[in-house]
Amino acid sequence: MAHAAQVGLQDATSPIMEELIIFHDHALMIIFLICFLVLYALFLTLTTKLTNTNISDAQEMETVWTILPAIILVLIALPSLRILYMTDEVNDPSLTIKSIGHQWYWTYEYTDYGGLIFNSYMLPPLFLEPGDLRLLDVDNRVVLPIEAPIRMMITSQDVLHSWAVPTLGLKTDAIPGRLNQTTFTATRPGVYYGQCSEICGANHSFMPIVLELIPLKIFEMGPVFTL
């Protein structure tokens, strides 16, 4: 999870998030190079005395500054489209979880386990134990296995919500009357936090998401039924 004074992105817990971090660094280096070039040109313009005010033809330069931005856009667009299509792939999920957004809590349904349904509310400050995180911990966590493709079916019962877990690279809108889906494969166990990322009313800030990822062998023993 994020911590105070953090500058970069959260550590990746899924292959998609790893790809997003690589693309972020790739695009950031291009931005740094463009900013350096522009600042250098401005510096020369402000410090160099102009000895000739006549404008001469510079077709070679015009050709370069027309083609170069097009090449840069292609270098950014190709990896971006690749990741976009990767996020839409659904390859034979091992488990399907349905998430329903409400004002202001989440309902989860394990469709592969006899329709197990439970609500997940934010823990009030009076109920926090030592080590719990204020405004982020919930009474019922979503327990999921690692190294297994998980499909999330996301919708809403009232207003627009957004189911987002940054460390997994997930952010999917919950829309009333529409069922959106996303998939992920977690690579390491742990407890990961997210929040509703769509302004949905007065208590929008109090809709945390907590995923508890455990090894597949332990999950198969039935930890989900202890909720």
Side-chain angles (χ1 to χ4, degrees):
M1 62 169 292
H3 56 79
Q6 179 174 340
V7 176
L9 302 174
Q10 297 184 29
D11 294 337
T13 312
S14 69
I16 292 296
M17 188 59 187
E18 292 176 1
E19 294 287 342
L20 289 172
I21 292 176
I22 293 173
F23 174 71
H24 168 268
D25 297 340
H26 167 73
L28 202 60
M29 289 305 301
I30 295 177
I31 293 173
F32 282 156
L33 291 175
I34 293 174
C35 291
F36 176 79
L37 180 62
V38 172
L39 290 175
Y40 179 69
L42 288 175
F43 176 78
L44 291 181
T45 302
L46 295 174
T47 57
T48 303
K49 294 182 179 180
L50 299 178
T51 57
N52 187 358
T53 58
N54 295 325
I55 299 176
S56 60
D57 291 334
Q59 295 183 358
E60 294 83 1
M61 181 177 294
E62 292 177 359
T63 302
V64 169
W65 74 40
T66 302
I67 295 177
L68 187 59
I71 295 175
I72 292 174
L73 290 177
V74 171
L75 292 176
I76 295 176
L78 290 180
S80 175
L81 291 173
R82 172 176 169 269
I83 297 174
L84 180 63
Y85 282 104
M86 287 175 60
T87 57
D88 286 337
E89 290 182 358
V90 179
N91 296 321
D92 192 20
S94 300
L95 184 66
T96 299
I97 308 295
K98 185 177 181 181
S99 176
I100 305 173
H102 306 270
Q103 289 182 312
W104 287 270
Y105 64 95
W106 296 97
T107 297
Y108 296 98
E109 178 181 351
Y110 286 72
T111 58
D112 300 313
Y113 284 84
L116 175 65
I117 304 176
F118 62 90
N119 297 326
S120 181
Y121 292 88
M122 184 193 73
L123 283 177
L126 294 177
F127 292 90
L128 292 176
E129 300 290 339
D132 289 343
L133 299 175
R134 179 177 173 271
L135 301 182
L136 285 178
D137 266 302
V138 297
D139 54 356
N140 291 319
R141 295 175 175 176
V142 181
V143 182
L144 296 173
I146 65 172
E147 298 178 347
I150 308 296
R151 176 172 59 183
M152 295 295 304
M153 310 294 289
I154 300 168
T155 186
S156 172
Q157 194 176 21
D158 38 46
V159 298
L160 291 177
H161 300 282
S162 185
W163 199 85
V165 182
T167 189
L168 292 171
L170 298 177
K171 184 179 183 296
T172 304
D173 289 341
I175 303 173
R178 180 172 178 176
L179 194 63
N180 292 331
Q181 71 173 357
T182 185
T183 58
F184 67 93
T185 301
T187 55
R188 53 195 175 94
V191 179
Y192 302 100
Y193 298 88
Q195 289 179 303
C196 176
S197 297
E198 186 75 37
I199 298 177
C200 55
N203 292 330
H204 157 69
S205 302
F206 309 121
M207 289 184 63
I209 301 164
V210 182
L211 304 183
E212 184 175 348
L213 303 178
I214 60 177
L216 181 59
K217 291 183 178 180
I218 299 178
F219 181 83
E220 291 176 342
M221 297 170 61
V224 66
F225 296 104
T226 62
L227 295 172

